Every structure is written in C-alpha cells, then in structure tokens.
C-alpha cells in the first residue's frame, strides 16, 4: 500500500512519486526487475547526448521542457541507487572486505563539463516559463548533479560488486570523496513533502530536484573516480547498502542463479456459450419481489483535483495538463479517503440501515462487493455483520466483480431474498488511492467511495423495484487481463490497459442493447424495454469513453447521467453513488425506471433495470 499524505498546507502529496520504492518481494529474476526499471526509468528518459542534441538543434521550446528532461535523465542515472541501495560515505579502512551485504559501485569515467556547458547555454537562451527564480533554483540543483556525476549511466549494472569482488581487479574505478562533511546540507523529508508553489508543474520539479540533490549529499566538486587498488585507509568511498531485507534477498536470489520454474499458460480460442443465458425477469422468476428500501453513501473526504496530480507528477509520468486529464476522462477531481476500506463501507451501511429503519436482527444476509479489499479473514461482509450488531445471518460473504459489482450484488440479493424472506444488505466499496502507486493512467481515473443498499421484500401485491438483471463474465484473455491488481510487472500496482478495456465495454454495451431491445415494454405499451427506460446511470468508468461507446450502441448522450467529474471511478460503488447524486441534482425527482450497466475488470459486466424512488436516498 502506498498512501497519500496531506501536508501542512492542506495539499495532497504522493511520496512514492518522488521517492522510488519498489516491491522486491515480487521479483524472482533480474529480467523481471529490469522490465520494471525499463518502463519506469528508461523508456521516457533522454540520454545526455539526446539532451545536448536537442539544445543544439533548438528543439526546446521552454525552460520547463529542458528542466524536465534533465530530471528524467538523472532519475534514470540513479535508477538502481534509488530503488535498491542507500549510499553511505565510509572510510576505506572501515569497509568490510568479506561481507556479502555491502557493495561498491564500479564506474566508467565520463566528463560532464562540456555537455553541462551546452545545457547551461541552452537554458539561458530560453526565457522563463512561469517563475524565473524557482526555475533557476531547480536548474542550479540539476545542473550541479549533471555536471559532477562521474559516469554516463547506461552501462551501470543493477547488482553491484561486494568489496571482495571489486578488489579482484585493483584497477576497478569507484567513487572517492576528497572531503566529506556529515552535516553537508540536504533536504529533509518535510522539506520535500511541504514544498509549495502556485504552479503545479514547478512544485513537482522542485520536489524532484530536492530528491536528486540528496542522492549526492557531499561536495560534488571534490569527488573523483579512483582505482580501488590505490585507495588509502583514510580515503572516503561511497558504500552501497541494500535499502531493506527484501532487496538483499533479491540480490542473493539473482547471484545464486536459481532457476525459477514457471507454468506456461496455453491460450485457447474463446468460444461463445452454446445457449446464452437470457436476462432474468425478476417478476416472473421469483416469488419474493425485491423492494429497494434505502441507499446510503460515503465518498472520500479528501479532494484530489487534476492540479494535484500535476503537482505530484512522478519521475515516470508523461507530461500532462489538468485540462488534458478532463478532456480525456471527463474527470475534474476524484475523492480519496484516509480511512480504511472496511470503515467507509461501515459508514455507508449504517446510513442505509438508519434510512430504512431496519434493526440488525431483521437483516437476513450481507453481501460486500469490492475489487480492492485486502481483508481476507474475516470477510468484510462478516466483519460488517458483527460491527452492525447482527448476531447471525443466513449468509455474509464477499463478492469480487469489480465494476459490475452492483449488478452482481443485486442479483445475489434477489436470490438470497427467496431463502431468507428478510432484507439483504448489499454494500459496494472501493479504496484505490493507496493501490495505484506511480501508474499515471490509473491515478487519473480512480477514486475512493462506498455505498449500501437495503433490499427488502416488497409488500404483498406490490411490484418489484428490481425488474430485470443480467450478468456476464469472461471473453478473450486480452480483455480478461485488461485491468490487473496486483500486477507484478507494474510493481504490484493497479494497471489499466485502455484499448482492451474499450473493447470489452463496447462488446458488452452492444450485447445489452440487443437484449433490452428484444424485451417487451414492461407496462404493456408499444415498443421495447429499452423504450421504457427513463434514465441510464452507467458505471462511471471514463466519461469520454462511455459516452462515445454508448452512442455507438444506440444510447443518446442526453439519456446518460454522470457524476464522474466530481468523484472519479469508484468501480463497484460508482453506480449507487451516481444514483445518490442524480437524486441530489434533481435528475431523479420522482420514481423513475433506470438502466444501470456495469463493466470492467476480469471482462465482467452486468446490468439492472430498476425503479428508483428518490425517497430511499439517505
């Protein structure tokens, strides 16, 4: 988990965007680690020669572009030191010779004076982008690091030699500090977290510059590369220590050469079902008709606006603007919470129960829908049952259906209702904010929130509030693996593969439209069930994408309701939160028939056609 923090200015900060931390427990081989390094540090980072060539060609249009490339280059150069090691200046006499848990880097000489002069000239030739003083501060830090690093970066190995290994060749070059002051100025954690600037892009650059300065916390002009065979006992060298036990274990795994057996999956051609399962007509299928008694919601208490993403731009992110995020996703802000997932689910459940007037002993079952829960035992549903004072239920269980959580949860509630004849509590909750890490596309989209519905038995002779439901799952593996968490290839962060998600959403929406168009009008009027729907409240995945695909499937944009611009994508909780907001916005101002389609991770999907009375909303 990688949570955000709120600094003293009330600003949201993602520390992991500036302090690279990888989960080494997921790496079995050097190739796996190299793939993450390549994606996070190498793919977007220019080399020294790239920067010089762009300066010479006049390709930089602003100081900001040049500063950003310098920072990217320096994060790339320090890709192993920052993720694997801590640097500790040590007297040569005090460096242990036979231990396998301390390391000395081997370097190839590189003279940065001429490239640095070219870069400095290019910077001075450009006018200020926003704030000359702050830009100059960033440039002074970055240029000093750039000028005085003693190597180019590309040839550095991830696994550094131990003292015994480096001494095997006395001509190996390592870092020698001609002077070292233990109190050499640097930036503390608070300096970096509390950094503040009115321009979000500059705030991110200032933090990055501070972190890079701390990688060389000594007088960089008084360093040299020295042959290890020529070191004197009182000379200072820079010793690399593993950042933690997981890094050391990884190094030992790699050096042992242990073979890792992996099961090779064989892809088979997916085949459609022989007979598709039709939508379920709740009124005809079930004896106990479901009634929606209450809806309670909790959204994250912390606002993360698009500007907050820019001021937290990580070393591995492509450039973006707040307006570009809004245009691409329809999101202007998302809501995060400092509470745990189970606690926000509990708040929503309490609100729904209070609105319904139901007592704990009246609830027959609890279903919790989530794809971000880390609580396995007890299940969140069982924990909620205990917290709410339910001594015993017929069933309390968790259900993983990601963004189709609400249709899946309602389908399960309707079935359970037949057995228990008592209300079923359906809770949908997600906390993404601490599971996204440095995956930019996921950070743009996801938010935190929870919602709870009390589904009770309708009075005798009363129609069902949930009229139809349908659920689906699976598809081609490209769509099944379109959203993954945890994903070892992305340092166990949530990752979204956009084209594949778009494909599964388009496929499912078209299938849903065909089904609704083939069903009769529920009130006996001419037309189909699709004609009877007054409002579409879709899963709030990505407003731009869903609007476009819905239009292709035959749903006019004006029939869709979105609140994603305020809360982001909360997966299973997104539809019920959107229903709550549609009531608050006056869009649902009377009992109304809505179509609620959900679709997402695991190539799952589903929908419910139901009547929503605004009076149920807490």
């Amino acid at each position: 988990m990688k949570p955000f923090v709120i600094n003293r200015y009330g600003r949201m900060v993602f520390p992991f965007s500036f302090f690279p931390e990888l989960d080494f427990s997921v790496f079995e081989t050097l190739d796996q680690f190299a793939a993450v390094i390549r994606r996070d540090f190498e793919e977007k980072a220019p080399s020294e020669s790239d920067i010089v060539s762009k300066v010479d060609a006049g390709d930089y249009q602003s100081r900001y572009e040049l500063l950003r490339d310098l920072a990217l280059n320096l994060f790339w150069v320090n890709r192993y030191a920052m993720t694997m090691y801590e640097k500790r200046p040590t007297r040569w006499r005090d460096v242990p010779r036979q231990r396998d848990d301390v390391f000395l880097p081997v370097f190839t000489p590189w003279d940065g004076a001429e490239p640095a002069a070219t870069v400095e000239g290019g910077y001075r030739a450009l006018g200020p982008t926003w704030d000359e003083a702050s830009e100059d501060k960033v440039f002074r830090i970055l240029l000093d690091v750039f000028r005085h690093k003693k190597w180019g970066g590309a040839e550095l190995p991830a696994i550094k030699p131990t003292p015994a290994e480096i001494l095997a060749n006395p001509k190996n070059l390592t870092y020698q500090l001609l002077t070292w002051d233990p109190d050499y100025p640097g930036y503390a954690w608070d300096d970096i977290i509390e950094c503040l600037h009115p321009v979000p892009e500059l705030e991110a650059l200032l933090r990055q510059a501070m972190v890079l300065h701390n990688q060389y916390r000594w007088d960089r002009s008084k360093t040299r590369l020295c042959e290890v065979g020529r070191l004197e006992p009182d000379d200072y060298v820079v010793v690399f220590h593993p950042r933690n036990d997981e890094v050391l274990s990884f190094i030992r795994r790699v050096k042992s050469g242990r073979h890792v057996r992996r099961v090779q999956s064989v892809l088979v051609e997916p085949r459609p079902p022989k007979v598709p399962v039709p939508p379920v007509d709740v009124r005809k299928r079930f004896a106990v008709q479901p009634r929606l008694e209450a809806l309670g919601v909790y959204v994250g208490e912390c606002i993360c606006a698009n500007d907050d993403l820019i001021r937290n731009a990580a070393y591995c992110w492509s450039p973006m603007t707040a307006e570009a995020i809004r245009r691409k996703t329809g999101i202007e802000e998302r809501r995060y919470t400092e509470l745990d997932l189970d606690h926000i689910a509990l708040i929503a459940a309490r609100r729904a129960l209070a609105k319904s007037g139901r007592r704990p002993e009246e609830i027959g079952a609890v279903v919790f829908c989530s794809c971000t829960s880390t609580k396995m035992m007890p299940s969140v549903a069982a924990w909620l049952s205990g917290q709410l004072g339910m001594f015993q239920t017929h069933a309390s269980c968790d259900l993983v259906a990601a963004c189709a959580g609400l249709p899946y949860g309602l389908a399960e509630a309707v079935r359970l209702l037949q057995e228990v004849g008592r209300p079923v509590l359906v809770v949908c909750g997600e906390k993404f904010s601490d599971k996204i890490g440095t995956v930019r596309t996921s950070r743009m989209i996801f938010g935190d929130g929870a919602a709870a519905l009390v589904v009770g038995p309708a009075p005798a002779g009363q129609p069902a509030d949930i009229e139809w439901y349908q659920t689906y799952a699976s598809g081609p593996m490209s769509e099944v693996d379109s959203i993954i968490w945890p994903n070892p290839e992305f340092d166990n962060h949530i990752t979204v593969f956009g084209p594949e998600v778009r494909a599964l959403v388009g496929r499912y929406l078209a299938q849903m439209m065909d089904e609704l168009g083939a069903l009769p009008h529920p009130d006996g009027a001419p037309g189909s069930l699709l004609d009877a729907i007054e409002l579409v409240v879709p899963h709030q995945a990505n407003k731009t994408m869903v609007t476009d695909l819905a239009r292709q499937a035959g749903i006019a944009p004006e029939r869709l309701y979105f609140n994603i611009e305020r809360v982001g994508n909360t997966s299973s909780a997104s539809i019920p939160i959107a229903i709550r907001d549609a009531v608050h916005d006056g869009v649902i101002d009377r009992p109304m028939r809505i179509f609620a389609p959900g679709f997402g991770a695991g190539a799952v999907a589903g929908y419910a056609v139901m009547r929503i009375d605004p009076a149920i909303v807490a």
Side-chain angles (χ1 to χ4, degrees):
M1 303 299 106
K2 295 184 176 179
F4 62 90
V5 299
I6 304 296
N7 68 16
R8 71 179 68 173
Y9 303 107
R11 289 275 178 81
M12 187 172 287
V13 182
F14 311 146
F16 41 84
S17 288
F18 308 100
F19 303 96
E21 293 182 10
L22 302 181
D23 182 1
F24 279 82
S25 68
V26 304
F27 300 135
E28 290 293 337
T29 67
L30 192 58
D31 286 343
Q32 292 173 324
F33 171 61
V36 173
I37 289 292
R38 183 165 53 251
R39 188 197 64 249
D40 280 1
F41 290 89
E42 294 182 11
E43 288 183 353
K44 299 182 182 68
S47 67
E48 295 87 353
S49 58
D50 291 336
I51 295 173
V52 169
S53 296
K54 286 184 70 174
V55 169
D56 287 340
D59 289 343
Y60 286 109
Q61 302 301 308
S62 69
R63 286 183 172 181
Y64 170 69
E65 293 178 19
L66 177 54
L67 292 173
R68 194 174 182 283
D69 271 4
L70 268 181
L72 282 171
N73 171 263
L74 293 172
F75 271 97
W76 168 64
V77 165
N78 286 278
R79 59 198 179 276
Y80 302 131
M82 299 182 85
T83 57
M84 298 181 68
Y85 304 101
E86 292 180 357
K87 300 175 181 177
R88 300 180 192 171
T90 308
R91 289 184 191 275
W92 181 236
R93 69 167 74 248
D94 297 326
V95 176
R97 301 302 197 262
Q98 301 304 320
R99 281 171 49 179
D100 72 344
D101 60 348
V102 294
F103 305 90
L104 284 166
V106 177
F107 297 126
T108 300
W110 178 78
D111 185 1
E114 184 175 341
T118 302
V119 170
E120 184 170 15
Y123 175 81
R124 301 299 176 197
L126 296 166
T129 306
W130 295 292
D131 173 359
E132 185 170 14
S134 296
E135 290 165 17
D136 284 349
K137 177 182 178 179
V138 172
F139 183 69
R140 283 194 302 272
I141 295 172
L142 297 181
L143 186 67
D144 190 54
V145 174
F146 184 82
R147 175 185 287 120
H148 291 111
K149 61 187 176 70
K150 304 298 181 183
W151 68 98
E155 74 286 353
L156 300 180
I159 309 299
K160 310 301 181 187
T162 63
E165 290 168 341
I166 197 172
L167 284 167
N169 181 358
K171 292 189 176 296
N172 280 329
L173 297 174
T174 196
Y175 229 146
Q176 180 192 356
L177 309 183
L178 302 180
T179 63
W180 183 62
D181 176 6
D183 291 322
Y184 189 80
Y187 298 98
W189 167 273
D190 283 349
D191 296 328
I192 298 168
I193 297 301
E194 307 297 343
C195 176
L196 182 70
H197 196 281
V199 178
E201 290 87 348
L202 269 184
E203 187 173 310
L205 267 178
L206 282 163
R207 289 199 181 99
Q208 291 174 3
M210 293 178 192
V211 170
L212 289 166
H213 167 86
N214 284 354
Q215 283 296 305
Y216 308 88
R217 203 161 173 173
W218 48 76
D219 186 342
R220 291 182 281 269
S221 66
K222 296 181 179 178
T223 61
R224 68 174 184 175
L225 294 181
C226 180
E227 293 180 4
V228 290
R230 295 176 176 271
L231 288 169
E232 298 294 333
D234 286 332
D235 289 341
Y236 273 93
V237 294
V238 180
V239 178
F240 282 29
H241 292 256
R243 295 177 67 90
N244 52 50
D245 289 341
E246 286 184 352
V247 173
L248 181 57
S249 296
F250 168 71
I251 292 172
R252 286 171 173 164
R253 285 198 297 275
V254 170
K255 296 182 77 169
S256 72
R258 187 181 68 192
H259 177 66
V260 179
R261 291 186 62 190
R262 295 200 172 275
V263 177
Q264 297 296 321
S265 59
V266 178
L267 293 181
V268 296
E269 186 69 23
R271 299 180 180 181
K274 293 178 67 174
V275 180
V277 177
V280 176
D281 185 341
V282 175
R283 294 164 300 177
K284 293 181 179 178
R285 179 74 63 86
F286 299 108
V288 181
Q289 298 293 289
R291 176 173 176 260
L292 299 177
E293 297 185 356
L295 168 61
V297 164
Y298 182 84
V299 295
E301 70 281 357
C302 301
I303 295 175
C304 177
N306 290 345
D307 273 350
D308 291 310
L309 301 188
I310 308 302
R311 68 181 76 259
N312 281 283
Y315 49 90
C316 55
W317 287 4
S318 300
M320 59 182 178
T321 65
E323 173 57 24
I325 297 172
R326 187 201 62 77
R327 192 168 56 248
K328 187 176 182 65
T329 66
I331 301 171
E332 297 176 13
E333 60 188 38
R334 65 284 301 141
R335 304 294 287 268
Y336 292 160
T337 182
E338 295 184 283
L339 302 176
D340 293 333
L341 171 60
D342 46 9
H343 283 91
I344 66 173
L346 179 61
I347 293 171
R350 283 176 172 158
R351 290 176 177 174
L353 285 179
K355 179 66 176 177
S356 71
R358 295 290 190 175
R359 299 185 302 276
E361 62 269 26
E362 295 180 79
I363 302 301
V366 178
V367 177
F368 179 67
C369 307
S370 178
C371 60
T372 55
S373 175
T374 57
K375 185 188 284 290
M376 294 292 105
M377 294 185 291
S379 68
V380 175
W383 182 86
L384 289 171
S385 302
Q387 288 286 327
L388 294 167
M390 300 171 190
F391 185 79
Q392 184 170 309
T393 64
H394 177 62
S396 290
C397 58
D398 292 0
L399 191 158
V400 181
C403 304
L406 182 72
Y408 268 73
L410 291 177
E412 188 63 24
V414 171
R415 289 189 287 263
L416 283 167
L417 203 58
Q418 313 310 307
E419 298 176 12
V420 299
R422 291 184 286 144
V424 177
L425 177 65
V426 178
V427 185
C428 301
E430 308 288 1
K431 181 170 181 176
F432 285 98
S433 58
D434 60 353
K435 303 173 184 70
I436 297 170
T438 53
V439 180
R440 183 181 70 100
T441 50
S442 301
R443 181 62 67 185
M444 289 163 52
I445 294 172
F446 291 112
D448 302 340
L453 280 157
V454 177
V455 183
Q462 295 295 311
D465 283 341
I466 302 170
E467 300 177 336
W468 294 84
Y469 68 74
Q470 173 67 290
T471 57
Y472 322 98
S474 199
M477 277 306 301
S478 59
E479 294 179 12
V480 171
D481 278 344
S482 60
I483 306 175
I484 304 174
W485 177 73
N487 185 357
E489 295 184 4
F490 277 72
D491 195 34
N492 272 354
H493 300 154
I494 289 174
T495 45
V496 179
F497 299 95
E500 289 76 13
V501 172
R502 187 180 180 90
L504 78 88
V505 175
R507 173 168 65 89
Y508 279 134
L509 275 178
Q511 186 172 351
M512 292 174 186
M513 291 304 97
D514 288 344
E515 290 181 358
L516 295 181
L519 294 172
H521 196 292
D523 301 326
S528 66
L529 175 59
L530 185 58
D531 299 316
I533 289 166
E534 299 172 87
L535 183 69
V536 180
V537 183
H539 162 51
Q540 309 287 299
N542 174 316
K543 185 175 182 179
T544 305
M545 177 191 74
V546 173
T547 301
D548 182 43
L549 291 176
R551 184 187 293 110
Q552 293 177 29
I555 306 175
E558 56 269 19
R559 299 183 69 187
L560 301 167
Y561 174 82
F562 288 98
N563 69 340
I564 191 172
E565 64 274 6
R566 302 191 297 269
V567 298
N569 176 344
T570 55
S571 191
S572 68
S574 75
I575 294 173
I577 292 175
I579 291 172
R580 188 281 306 261
D581 286 354
V583 171
H584 284 187
D585 291 346
V587 177
I588 299 177
D589 58 358
R590 54 184 167 76
M592 186 177 290
R593 180 177 284 117
I594 73 164
F595 166 52
F599 28 74
V604 297
Y607 61 81
V609 176
M610 50 190 172
R611 282 192 173 275
I612 298 295
D613 187 333
I616 71 170
V617 173

